[in-house]
């Protein structure tokens, strides 16, 4: 079974890749246990692009922008809690090691220090105790697990925002009024897998849509799109190959055909994208597959199925039975968000799909009873 990773805090000391990391200056504080003292990729909830140190340049005043995922130090951010309930946001860019201790030497900073007005730029700077480097993290009123980063110089009345709702690489990031628009909000994706983020994402978004991703119900279902989002939210897998999606523009958040999808979103067409196609998802993630069983086999051998190495954060698909009675194409993708120890079964979340429904807390055993002749594929992600 998968294990969640918890890090021990001791005056902002953490263990990462066998090194001890300090932030200078450092202050311990009690804040949201889900995010404190962890490394994240921080993705804009509108464009789907990531908070990024321009060029990865380790120097005071380097601009902060948005950019497509590259997995480099320029997109890795450490949420360091402070005694006053705020956060200092450290960058992996420019970290140094002395006597076996690795130091974060640059943090997110509001240019000008005390300027709380609209349009002030973001940069990285050496850590200090000024308000320019203090941020509060607020949950969006949309209740979709996106957050806003409220800035110290504005007395926490303004937030980190992508300028002009840019959907381009290099789109600038600055301080601006919070308007509850998606370019004001961000998705925290743990660098190291933490399934609690994926589970929470599934629970709050099974019946809604986050604008960093298309509403692709026109393509026959949105289930694989949603399961992919949950995986990414948990840090189970970060973008690779064609398993990705970015917004090009704001024209078609809810496309009604493939032309509109291609016009506003950067990904393969629905039938060939492993981000959105259940069939292609199965092809791409086949190395993660541990077994497949007919619904009738699950019902007859539920205890054995319960003993599989499947847990929260894993994936179960439904596939057709081919004309020969063997495993056919996958057509429905579901995210395991919880284990039901009372009924010894897996609880599943998914978007609208070929089952013509939107659900959470669906018992695998119930689905298996309703589809005795179709296959269920189990993936240990």
């Amino acid at each position: 079974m998968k294990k969640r990773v918890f890090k021990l805090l001791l005056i902002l000391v953490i263990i990462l890749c066998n090194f001890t990391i300090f932030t200078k200056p450092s202050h311990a504080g009690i804040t949201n246990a889900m995010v404190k003292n962890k490394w994240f990729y921080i993705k804009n909830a509108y464009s789907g692009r990531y908070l990024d140190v321009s060029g990865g340049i380790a120097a005071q005043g380097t601009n902060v922008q948005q950019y497509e995922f590259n997995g480099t130090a320029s997109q890795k951010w450490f949420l360091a809690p402070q005694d006053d309930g705020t956060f200092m946001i450290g960058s992996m860019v420019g970290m140094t090691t002395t006597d076996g201790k690795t130091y974060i030497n640059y943090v997110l900073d509001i240019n000008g220090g005390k300027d709380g007005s609209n349009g002030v730029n973001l940069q990285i700077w050496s850590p200090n105790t000024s308000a320019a480097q203090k941020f509060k993290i607020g949950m969006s009123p949309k209740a979709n697990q996106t957050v806003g980063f409220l800035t110290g110089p504005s007395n926490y009345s303004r937030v980190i925002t992508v300028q002009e709702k840019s959907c381009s690489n290099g789109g600038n990031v600055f301080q601006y009024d919070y308007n509850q628009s998606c370019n004001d909000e961000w998705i925290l994706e743990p660098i190291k897998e933490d399934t609690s983020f994926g589970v929470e994402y599934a629970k709050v978004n099974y019946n809604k849509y986050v604008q960093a991703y298309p509403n692709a119900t026109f393509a026959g279902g949105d289930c694989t799109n949603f399961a992919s989002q949950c995986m990414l939210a948990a840090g189970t897998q970060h973008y690779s190959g064609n398993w990705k999606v970015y917004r090009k523009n704001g024209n078609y958040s809810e496309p009604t055909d493939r032309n509109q999808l291609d016009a506003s979103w950067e990904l393969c067409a629905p039938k060939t994208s492993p981000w959105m196609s259940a069939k292609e998802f199965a092809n791409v993630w086949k190395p993660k597959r541990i077994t497949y069983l007919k619904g009738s086999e699950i019902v007859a051998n539920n205890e054995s199925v319960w003993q599989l190495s499947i847990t929260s954060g894993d994936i179960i698909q439904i596939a057709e039975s081919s004309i020969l009675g063997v495993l056919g194409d996958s057509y429905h993708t579901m995210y395991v968000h919880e284990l039901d120890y009372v009924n010894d079964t897996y609880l599943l979340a998914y978007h609208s799909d070929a089952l013509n429904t939107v659900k959470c807390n669906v018992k695998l055993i119930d689905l298996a009873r309703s589809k005795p002749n179709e296959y269920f594929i189990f993936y240990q992600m």
Side-chain angles (χ1 to χ4, degrees):
M1 303 290 277
K2 293 184 178 177
K3 297 180 181 178
R4 296 177 181 173
V5 179
F6 295 90
K7 295 181 178 67
L8 177 65
L9 170 65
L10 179 58
I11 314 181
L12 240 176
V13 179
I14 65 169
I15 304 301
L16 178 69
C17 301
N18 298 320
F19 290 99
T20 305
I21 294 183
F22 294 79
T23 300
K24 301 184 296 185
S26 58
H27 305 279
I30 299 174
T31 54
N32 189 332
M34 193 173 181
V35 301
K36 68 179 183 180
N37 305 306
K38 293 181 181 178
W39 289 95
F40 292 92
Y41 298 112
I42 301 176
K43 179 163 67 182
N44 187 255
Y46 183 72
S47 70
R49 299 176 194 272
Y50 291 80
L51 197 66
D52 180 278
V53 177
S54 180
I57 299 171
Q60 295 196 146
T62 300
N63 190 48
V64 172
Q65 59 182 9
Q66 68 170 6
Y67 207 85
E68 66 186 52
F69 179 81
N70 57 37
T72 66
S74 66
Q75 297 181 348
K76 296 178 179 179
W77 302 92
F78 184 69
L79 299 189
Q82 308 298 293
D83 287 333
D84 59 2
T86 65
F87 284 87
M88 182 179 288
I89 304 176
S91 172
M92 191 175 280
V93 167
M95 290 198 313
T96 56
T97 301
T98 304
D99 297 328
K101 297 176 181 178
T102 301
Y103 295 87
I104 293 175
N105 293 313
Y106 297 98
V107 299
L108 196 62
D109 180 276
I110 305 296
N111 189 11
K114 296 182 180 180
D115 191 345
S117 58
N118 281 332
V120 180
N121 203 45
L122 264 75
Q123 61 186 9
I124 58 170
W125 201 265
S126 299
N128 55 54
T129 58
S130 71
Q133 298 178 358
K134 291 186 176 183
F135 301 87
K136 289 184 178 180
I137 301 176
M139 297 300 294
S140 165
K142 300 180 181 73
N144 61 0
Q145 209 181 340
T146 61
V147 302
F149 291 96
L150 296 94
T151 63
S154 70
N155 196 27
Y156 309 105
S157 64
R158 295 187 169 93
V159 295
I160 299 173
T161 301
V162 175
Q163 188 173 356
E164 297 178 349
K165 299 186 76 171
S166 170
C167 296
S168 302
N169 285 335
N172 196 43
V173 179
F174 62 8
Q175 171 183 268
Y176 208 81
D177 291 332
Y178 178 56
N179 298 310
Q180 296 187 32
S181 59
C182 295
N183 65 309
D184 295 337
E185 298 168 348
W186 303 83
I187 301 170
L188 296 173
E189 296 174 1
I191 289 174
K192 288 193 173 182
E193 182 184 21
D194 186 337
T195 56
S196 63
F197 284 85
V199 166
E200 291 304 313
Y201 188 95
K203 287 181 177 180
V204 300
N205 288 314
Y206 75 92
N207 61 349
K208 61 172 69 83
Y209 295 86
V210 175
Q211 288 209 358
Y213 311 104
N215 176 347
T217 52
F218 81 91
D222 198 56
C223 59
T224 305
N225 181 20
F226 177 68
S228 294
Q229 294 171 39
C230 295
M231 286 172 55
L232 194 62
T236 300
Q237 172 69 38
H238 298 291
Y239 283 161
S240 62
N242 285 323
W243 193 76
K244 63 182 179 181
V245 59
Y246 300 106
R247 179 187 285 274
K248 295 179 182 178
N249 54 59
N251 295 340
Y252 301 109
S253 293
E254 299 185 21
T256 59
D257 57 40
R258 292 177 196 164
N259 290 333
Q260 290 185 2
L261 180 71
D262 291 341
S264 288
W265 299 91
E266 181 182 333
L267 78 173
C268 299
K271 288 188 176 181
T272 60
S273 169
W275 182 270
M276 298 178 66
S277 163
K279 179 181 176 180
E280 293 305 318
F281 183 99
N283 291 335
V284 167
W285 297 112
K286 188 175 180 179
K288 300 287 188 178
R289 190 174 79 188
I290 61 171
T291 193
Y292 56 89
L293 298 164
K294 281 190 172 182
S296 58
E297 295 174 315
I298 292 173
V299 174
N301 302 284
N302 186 62
E303 188 57 35
S304 296
V305 175
W306 179 240
Q307 296 304 318
L308 293 173
S309 298
I310 295 294
T311 190
S312 299
D314 290 328
I315 297 291
I316 297 175
Q317 286 191 312
I318 303 178
E320 299 169 344
S321 179
S322 74
I323 193 170
L324 298 176
V326 298
L327 179 67
D329 292 337
S330 297
Y331 70 85
H332 180 46
T333 310
M334 303 171 289
Y335 188 79
V336 180
H337 68 82
E338 199 169 336
L339 305 184
D340 182 348
Y341 289 97
V342 175
N343 298 293
D344 289 354
T345 193
Y346 306 104
L347 298 182
L348 309 168
Y350 47 86
H351 262 177
S352 55
D353 50 63
L355 300 183
N356 298 314
T357 186
V358 180
K359 286 193 174 181
C360 188
N361 294 319
V362 178
K363 296 182 179 67
L364 172 65
I365 189 67
D366 291 343
L367 279 180
R369 289 191 184 102
S370 70
K371 295 186 174 295
N373 296 318
E374 298 190 29
Y375 284 94
F376 290 76
I377 308 173
F378 296 81
Y379 299 85
Q380 187 182 49
M381 305 307 297

